[in-house]
Amino acid sequence: MEKKPVTAIIVGAGHRAFVYSELAKTNPELLKIVGVADPNPIRRKKAMEYFGFGEDMCFESAFELAKKGKLADTVINGTMDEAHVETSIPLLEAGYDMLLEKPFAVNEKEMRKLVECARVNNRKVMICHVLRYTPFYYAIKERIESGELGDIINIQMTEHVSYHHLATSYIRGKWANSDKCHTTMLLAKCCHDLDLMMWFMSATKPSKISSFGNKFQFKPENAPEGAGTICMKDCPHVDTCVYSTKRLYIDHPDRWSFYVWDALEHIENPTIEDKIALMKTDNPYARCIYKCDNNVVDHQSVLVNFESGATGTHNMVGGSSEPRRQIHIIGTKGELFGNFEESKFTVLKINPSPDAHHEECDVEEVDLNVTGDMVGAYGGHGGGDEKLAEDFVKFINGEEHSLACTSIFDSVAGHLSVYLADESREKGGAPIDVVL
């Protein structure tokens, strides 16, 4: 008997939901998109036309959809972070299983509420920790699971957020002000990284967390002398400031197009003149980088103590020249260090014999042969997005899934670590106990 594809309804027809839903186009035998729920009529129409379902399967909200009962196997929930819990609960109660974007909740109370809802309703909820699926991090997990590094003593992780990404998403954009988006910088940007740390350290549990961080660079007192408020309208530094909207968005109109040109989505093919005109208005992306309403940190350091006695650190630094994620793991038998963007890592294994290749240790250079084009594929997550969507189908069908598959229950340690790190930061770095 021919297996039918898993059916799904998109809730929140934004960029991430479309990226995961692309599996329905590339592998229609696995996934079929049959509906959409979104308050924006333009996005509802876009989803309807792209995936080929009727207007009867278009809904203005998750709540309207939930009232109709179960119309598909699953939901792909790509709503904004602060809406994840309120949109997910009625759909889980209506019988839907779910693929849910990270972070799945913006605070500990909401996290525990959603986890309990999934448990009580016996629903399958998979969280989009897409970096687990990249060749780089997946291969590292395999090395840890093989035991060749021994017991992990320390894990060090860093994420350098590029100046143009920081400017677009976390100073001018949707995640700049925690009072509006209800997420911190660490939660919005680094729940990936804390999840990876907990995944690699799954043999033990976090016990205590401490953190420091602040808003260092992007504040009014650091603006160039005479700076205006709208770069392309009233600022004399528009052609020289690294962060001017002209240099970031007009000179590079495609780099952050999904976010920056959101206000032009009613125009089928906006011209560069349309974009220049928008950058002379009070649009959020047109503002002086030093005179926005951003209140999230632009750098933060996290220290984790584990029950085993191991320690871990994560450093997030915004405003770097280029994006970079690095990792260094030291175990009782060896160590591993590498760079995500290059998809390369080195394994050093202790070997005191005269035959050791390099000063009493064996050295293995691993190149996963992920080129720049591949790293940028499927939404810029090293090719992980499509693999995640494929694993979601296996997860729903009860088939054997990969090491990377993350149910909502598996995602608790990483999310809780972020919440507690931010609590510690607000308390001047005071250590906070972790209670899972």
Side-chain angles (χ1 to χ4, degrees), residues 154-293:
N154 177 260
I155 179 168
Q156 304 160 30
M157 302 177 69
T158 63
E159 181 177 9
H160 297 166
V161 185
S162 74
Y163 67 98
H164 54 82
H165 190 177
L166 184 75
T168 303
S169 295
Y170 305 102
I171 300 175
R172 292 185 173 116
K174 295 180 179 179
W175 296 277
N177 189 301
S178 58
D179 297 328
K180 295 179 179 179
C181 69
H182 305 286
T183 60
T184 63
M185 176 70 176
L186 193 68
L187 183 61
K189 190 72 185 80
C190 299
C191 66
H192 273 312
D193 305 274
L194 271 296
D195 170 73
L196 287 168
M197 183 186 289
M198 298 306 144
W199 188 42
F200 295 146
M201 298 295 292
S202 59
T204 184
K205 295 178 180 179
S207 60
K208 200 175 288 287
I209 289 177
S210 179
S211 181
F212 294 89
N214 56 59
K215 187 173 75 168
F216 182 86
Q217 184 176 2
F218 300 101
K219 42 193 177 183
E221 57 265 37
N222 290 335
E225 186 176 352
T229 56
I230 304 296
C231 295
M232 293 185 66
K233 182 180 179 181
D234 60 6
C235 187
H237 306 287
V238 66
D239 293 315
T240 56
C241 177
V242 171
Y243 292 96
S244 88
T245 54
K246 179 180 181 294
R247 298 184 71 182
L248 289 187
Y249 309 133
I250 298 302
D251 293 348
H252 298 277
D254 298 324
R255 184 161 56 191
W256 295 103
S257 59
F258 190 86
Y259 299 115
V260 177
W261 311 125
D262 174 76
L264 300 176
E265 67 179 357
H266 62 286
I267 303 174
E268 187 170 349
N269 292 300
T271 64
I272 193 66
E273 288 75 21
D274 293 325
K275 294 172 182 178
I276 290 172
L278 182 66
M279 288 295 104
K280 294 181 179 181
T281 70
D282 60 356
N283 181 275
Y285 295 102
R287 297 173 295 172
C288 170
I289 197 73
Y290 298 98
K291 299 179 181 180
C292 295
D293 61 345

Side-chain angles (χ1 to χ4, degrees), residues 16 33 46 75 99 129 144-145 154 156 187 195 200 208 249 259 265 269 291 300 313 347 359 373 406 421:
R16 299 305 304 157
I33 304 300
K46 178 182 175 182
V75 159
L99 180 63
H129 288 300
I144 294 170
E145 291 297 304
N154 177 260
Q156 304 160 30
L187 183 61
D195 170 73
F200 295 146
K208 200 175 288 287
Y249 309 133
Y259 299 115
E265 67 179 357
N269 292 300
K291 299 179 181 180
Q300 187 168 351
T313 59
V347 179
E359 298 181 356
D373 288 343
T406 317

Side-chain angles (χ1 to χ4, degrees), residues 158-162 189 314-326 341:
T158 63
E159 181 177 9
H160 297 166
V161 185
S162 74
K189 190 72 185 80
H314 176 65
N315 288 303
M316 181 281 296
V317 184
S320 61
S321 300
E322 63 179 5
R324 184 173 298 271
R325 274 183 165 104
Q326 295 173 304
E341 281 71 22

Side-chain angles (χ1 to χ4, degrees), residues 349-356 359-361:
K349 286 186 278 190
I350 296 171
N351 182 0
S353 75
D355 298 326
E359 298 181 356
E360 298 191 341
C361 68

Side-chain angles (χ1 to χ4, degrees), residues 288-414:
C288 170
I289 197 73
Y290 298 98
K291 299 179 181 180
C292 295
D293 61 345
N294 56 305
N295 67 0
V296 300
V297 304
D298 54 27
H299 70 113
Q300 187 168 351
S301 298
V302 180
L303 172 62
V304 183
N305 194 50
F306 290 90
E307 289 180 354
S308 66
T311 53
T313 59
H314 176 65
N315 288 303
M316 181 281 296
V317 184
S320 61
S321 300
E322 63 179 5
R324 184 173 298 271
R325 274 183 165 104
Q326 295 173 304
I327 188 168
H328 195 153
I329 301 172
I330 300 95
T332 53
K333 295 180 180 178
E335 60 188 286
L336 180 155
F337 57 87
N339 182 307
F340 169 69
E341 281 71 22
E342 295 176 356
S343 281
K344 297 178 181 178
F345 60 79
T346 300
V347 179
L348 305 178
K349 286 186 278 190
I350 296 171
N351 182 0
S353 75
D355 298 326
H357 300 304
H358 180 72
E359 298 181 356
E360 298 191 341
C361 68
D362 291 329
V363 181
E364 180 186 359
E365 303 283 351
V366 179
D367 185 346
L368 296 162
N369 296 311
V370 178
T371 66
D373 288 343
M374 292 174 69
V375 170
Y378 309 116
H381 290 119
D385 288 329
E386 187 170 54
K387 293 177 182 177
L388 183 150
E390 291 174 355
D391 218 21
F392 174 61
V393 171
K394 293 178 182 177
F395 178 63
I396 295 302
N397 285 331
E399 301 169 0
E400 184 176 355
H401 45 71
S402 74
L403 275 173
C405 188
T406 317
S407 79
I408 193 170
F409 306 108
D410 300 325
S411 189
V412 168

Side-chain angles (χ1 to χ4, degrees), residues 122-140:
N122 195 29
R123 305 276 30 107
K124 293 181 177 180
V125 182
M126 181 172 155
I127 308 303
C128 297
H129 288 300
V130 65
L131 288 189
R132 291 190 181 198
Y133 288 87
T134 61
F136 180 75
Y137 289 117
Y138 198 92
I140 291 174

